[in-house]
Short mmCIF file of all heavy atoms in Angstrom, two decimals:
data_model
loop_
_atom_site.label_atom_id
_atom_site.label_comp_id
_atom_site.label_asym_id
_atom_site.label_seq_id
_atom_site.Cartn_x
_atom_site.Cartn_y
_atom_site.Cartn_z
N GLU A 3 -59.28 14.77 32.91
CA GLU A 3 -58.19 15.75 33.07
C GLU A 3 -56.84 15.17 32.66
O GLU A 3 -55.87 15.89 32.47
CB GLU A 3 -58.13 16.19 34.53
CG GLU A 3 -57.88 15.02 35.48
CD GLU A 3 -57.82 15.46 36.92
OE1 GLU A 3 -57.93 16.68 37.15
OE2 GLU A 3 -57.67 14.62 37.80
N HIS A 4 -56.83 13.79 32.50
CA HIS A 4 -55.56 13.17 32.13
C HIS A 4 -55.36 13.09 30.62
O HIS A 4 -54.32 12.68 30.15
CB HIS A 4 -55.49 11.76 32.71
CG HIS A 4 -55.57 11.75 34.22
ND1 HIS A 4 -54.55 12.22 35.01
CD2 HIS A 4 -56.58 11.33 35.06
CE1 HIS A 4 -54.90 12.09 36.29
NE2 HIS A 4 -56.13 11.56 36.35
N ASP A 5 -56.42 13.43 29.84
CA ASP A 5 -56.33 13.30 28.38
C ASP A 5 -55.37 14.32 27.76
O ASP A 5 -54.69 14.05 26.81
CB ASP A 5 -57.70 13.43 27.73
CG ASP A 5 -58.57 12.22 28.05
OD1 ASP A 5 -57.98 11.17 28.38
OD2 ASP A 5 -59.80 12.34 27.98
N THR A 6 -55.35 15.51 28.29
CA THR A 6 -54.56 16.59 27.70
C THR A 6 -53.06 16.28 27.65
O THR A 6 -52.43 16.42 26.60
CB THR A 6 -54.80 17.91 28.47
OG1 THR A 6 -56.16 18.21 28.43
CG2 THR A 6 -53.99 19.04 27.84
N PRO A 7 -52.47 15.81 28.75
CA PRO A 7 -51.04 15.49 28.69
C PRO A 7 -50.72 14.44 27.63
O PRO A 7 -49.71 14.52 26.96
CB PRO A 7 -50.72 14.99 30.09
CG PRO A 7 -51.75 15.63 30.96
CD PRO A 7 -52.98 15.68 30.13
N LYS A 8 -51.64 13.40 27.47
CA LYS A 8 -51.38 12.36 26.48
C LYS A 8 -51.39 12.94 25.08
O LYS A 8 -50.58 12.60 24.23
CB LYS A 8 -52.43 11.26 26.59
CG LYS A 8 -52.29 10.44 27.87
CD LYS A 8 -53.33 9.34 27.90
CE LYS A 8 -53.18 8.49 29.17
NZ LYS A 8 -54.18 7.43 29.25
N GLU A 9 -52.34 13.86 24.83
CA GLU A 9 -52.41 14.48 23.52
C GLU A 9 -51.16 15.32 23.26
O GLU A 9 -50.61 15.34 22.16
CB GLU A 9 -53.66 15.35 23.41
CG GLU A 9 -54.95 14.53 23.38
CD GLU A 9 -56.18 15.42 23.35
OE1 GLU A 9 -55.99 16.65 23.35
OE2 GLU A 9 -57.29 14.89 23.29
N GLU A 10 -50.70 15.99 24.32
CA GLU A 10 -49.50 16.80 24.16
C GLU A 10 -48.28 15.92 23.89
O GLU A 10 -47.40 16.25 23.09
CB GLU A 10 -49.27 17.65 25.41
CG GLU A 10 -50.31 18.75 25.58
CD GLU A 10 -50.08 19.54 26.85
OE1 GLU A 10 -49.19 19.12 27.63
OE2 GLU A 10 -50.77 20.55 27.07
N ASP A 11 -48.23 14.76 24.58
CA ASP A 11 -47.11 13.84 24.36
C ASP A 11 -47.11 13.34 22.93
O ASP A 11 -46.07 13.26 22.27
CB ASP A 11 -47.22 12.65 25.32
CG ASP A 11 -46.90 13.06 26.75
OD1 ASP A 11 -46.33 14.15 26.91
OD2 ASP A 11 -47.23 12.30 27.67
N PHE A 12 -48.29 12.98 22.40
CA PHE A 12 -48.39 12.50 21.04
C PHE A 12 -47.96 13.57 20.05
O PHE A 12 -47.24 13.32 19.09
CB PHE A 12 -49.82 12.05 20.75
CG PHE A 12 -50.02 11.59 19.33
CD1 PHE A 12 -49.57 10.35 18.91
CD2 PHE A 12 -50.63 12.43 18.39
CE1 PHE A 12 -49.73 9.94 17.60
CE2 PHE A 12 -50.78 12.01 17.08
CZ PHE A 12 -50.35 10.76 16.68
N ALA A 13 -48.41 14.79 20.30
CA ALA A 13 -48.07 15.90 19.42
C ALA A 13 -46.57 16.16 19.41
O ALA A 13 -45.97 16.42 18.36
CB ALA A 13 -48.83 17.16 19.85
N SER A 14 -45.96 16.07 20.58
CA SER A 14 -44.51 16.31 20.65
C SER A 14 -43.74 15.22 19.95
O SER A 14 -42.73 15.47 19.28
CB SER A 14 -44.07 16.44 22.11
OG SER A 14 -44.32 15.23 22.80
N LEU A 15 -44.21 13.95 20.10
CA LEU A 15 -43.55 12.84 19.41
C LEU A 15 -43.67 12.97 17.90
O LEU A 15 -42.73 12.71 17.15
CB LEU A 15 -44.15 11.51 19.87
CG LEU A 15 -43.80 11.05 21.29
CD1 LEU A 15 -44.63 9.83 21.66
CD2 LEU A 15 -42.32 10.76 21.39
N LEU A 16 -44.87 13.38 17.44
CA LEU A 16 -45.10 13.57 16.02
C LEU A 16 -44.19 14.67 15.47
O LEU A 16 -43.59 14.53 14.40
CB LEU A 16 -46.56 13.89 15.75
CG LEU A 16 -46.94 14.12 14.27
CD1 LEU A 16 -46.66 12.85 13.47
CD2 LEU A 16 -48.42 14.51 14.16
#
Side-chain angles (χ1 to χ4, degrees):
E3 59 181 357
H4 299 290
D5 290 338
T6 302
K8 290 182 179 179
E9 291 177 359
E10 291 178 354
D11 288 344
F12 177 76
S14 62
L15 288 172
L16 180 61

